[in-house]
Amino acid sequence: MEKFRKNLVLCAGTGCVAGGSMKVRDALREEIKKKGLEKDINLSLAACSGSCSEGPVLSVYPDEVFYQKLTAEDIPKLVEEHFVNERLYEKLIMREPEEKSSIPAMKDIPFFRYQVLRVLRNKGLIDPEKIEEYIARDGYQAAAKALTEMTQEDIIKVVKDSGLRGRGGAGFPTGLKWEFASKVSSDVKYMLCNGDEGDPGAFMDRSVMEADPHSVIEGMIIGAKAIGAHNGYIYVRAEYPLAVKRLQMAIDMATEMGLLGKDILGTGFDFELEIYLGAGAFVCGEETALMRSIEGKRGMPRPRPPFPAQKGLWDKPSVLNNVETLAQIAPIILNGADWYRTLGTEKSAGTKVFALTGAVNNVGLVEVPMGIPLRTIIYDIGAGMRKGRKFKAVQLGGPSGGCIPEGLLDIPVTYEDIVATGAIIGSGGMVVMDDNTCMVGTAKFFLGFTADESCGKCVPCRVGTRILLDILTDITEGKGREEDMATLEDLGRDIIATSLCGLGQTAPNPVLTTLRYFRDEYESHIRHKWCKAGVCRDLTTFWIDEKLCKACGACLRACPSKAIVGEKKVPHKIIQELCVHCRTCYETCKFSSIKILPAGFEGDPYELLGSEAKGEAKGGNE
Amino acid sequence: MARLTIDDLRKIKEKQSSDFSLRKGGYSAKVTVHMGTCGIAAGARDVMSALTEEVTKAGMDNIIVTTSGCAGLCAREPLATVEIINHPPVRYCDLNGEKMREIFKEHILGGNPVEKYALVRGCETTY
């Protein structure tokens, strides 16, 4: 790493940025360059330290000097004094750099420190029902710029150069999609937004539509200009009532103020926007099915090509973008492609929003630069595992995604790296699972979902997912056969290769990734009738280790079928004939004295668990 | 409302930023209750009613009470952010009506943040 004489840290909190941090940054860069100090001085942006009322704030290290209330005009003098003459620029020195408070600052809490908000730039700051508040935070400035100063080609070029890829899951370059549609000549074209968020555990799009509906509308206006569309639809599921309400209010207000409809902002450009409510079918998130659904037909996909850019909604050229993709557009237009690329990696530029859920402490909606390691998201932002439990897997991409094990947590979150694991980034659902999770059961859960949601049009998906589900169900009920694992893999690959749309083409991923990373669990289910997580009822025997039992009576009281006997100072026992395998005792015991053995186990538990512990230790060393 | 021109956009931006900047608008405090689906499900409406009740009771007309969407940390909802003039915003978590009343008295009227309910101070990062 290069060593700099000085390290400057400029606050990039929303408060300081609103106060002009970015102009100060540009002025600093320019001045540093002018004075030939690029090799001496490093400038970086950082999280808020809580001096918001003094902002924009600049910290200089190693001097430990803090400047406050900076403007771009101050910078030449400041640079001259502090970095050339090595004298403090007294006028702007902050005397009490940090407000004395025992409340931690944003930069002190990993949940906030590692996040950078672009899509969620107005998160928690504006009232989504007041268009003025959106406008106050540079709202509709990008649309104004796109409609007045930019040609279709200009817009497409910026979006292409930014490297923005579709955030709905497939990761197709947004600029390229727009270019295809712009080149098709047609009197009618459609600009569409996909708000049919259907992955279990995902709530990114809902939050954006609820918290900042105008950011989506503005992205659509810009997209409409780029492709030459004058009509658009936002497809939202009816299960998102608050999102629908706020979107509708936003559309009404924007229309009333001339930001939608005829002659937008007096520029002569027309764009009419409507909401279309989906009925919650998962397949309607697939683009061709979504378009059929808007046409009033049954939501079923059709083969591509022709792609929607040629023949989409009502056979007219159409572009469909995800909510999050559209919310990224306005800042890209305002700040440029290079700005967008300051975060992320070469092929995965910018930021991505994730819905972090499951067994982590900080369940929430987070936005991070692409390329951040999964481990940082789970252990820093997510603050680690809830109740101190052990991490088992993280599920990315919902029913189309896969489960990533502990050993791969250091890979960066980019489209390519995640695909290499067998999972996908998908729309951004991130479900963290602990050691109480059965991975065969997890695969079964997702297959149950996709088998249910398969529209039935093509055989591989309709029949294939059902067969996968049946096999998985057999395995979890103790009817698994050795050859099932090979069948699951073969059939899974066939379904991927031959299904018509994205639903079938990705549905086997949860099975294939769990087989890849948690094969031992399948083997233990099939060969030993043993679900070590204690989830599959038919594959467990709950047993109390008398050496650990403190005879506290907690499990005895909690057992719903009165299957536990014992008294004070006498270790408790489970009467196997009465046990219904509900796990209640297992979760109640504070001393980990309840162990999970294979179904119908009759040998020596100590021997079995002892060899298991050894095997695990050995496995861990490998 | 009249149809906007690009110049109007700029004017609204300027007007709003001075309206909502506490200093210029003559306000002493701004309280934002975060009311996304997650916040509402966790009880943000109770927090909001307690707050508006206290504001009315105290007869304060220089406090902005407003709402916004999800603040991101769903695990700690309901969340609210209190900004007092010349101090960094303080975000409170795991709120209910009672806690909000206490915060109103201590922080909004008294100027002392209620540390036991506070999650974080400052602004989130954007660049």
Side-chain angles (χ1 to χ4, degrees), chain A residues 357-377:
Chain A
T357 61
V360 282
N361 284 308
N362 287 342
V363 166
L365 187 75
V366 306
E367 181 170 2
V368 290
M370 289 246 186
I372 193 173
L374 270 173
R375 192 180 295 281
T376 307
I377 300 182

Side-chain angles (χ1 to χ4, degrees), chain A residues 28 31 35 37 75-84:
Chain A
L28 267 169
E31 206 57 33
K35 296 275 193 284
L37 295 167
I75 298 306
K77 272 194 171 166
L78 188 149
V79 170
E80 174 78 30
E81 278 296 282
H82 195 136
F83 305 118
V84 178

Side-chain angles (χ1 to χ4, degrees), chain A residues 102-103 117 138 210 262, chain B residues 3 13 37 115 121 124 126:
Chain A
S102 57
I103 302 170
L117 309 184
D138 287 334
E210 281 177 10
K262 297 264 178 259
Chain B
R3 295 173 63 83
K13 189 184 163 189
T37 294
E115 285 169 14
R121 72 195 151 90
E124 285 179 84
T126 181

Side-chain angles (χ1 to χ4, degrees), chain A residues 28 32 138 154 204 207 238 252 385 470 509 563 575 593 612:
Chain A
L28 267 169
I32 289 168
D138 287 334
D154 292 340
M204 301 76 52
S207 301
D252 292 346
M385 304 300 291
D470 287 347
N509 285 346
I575 304 167
S593 73
E612 220 12 62

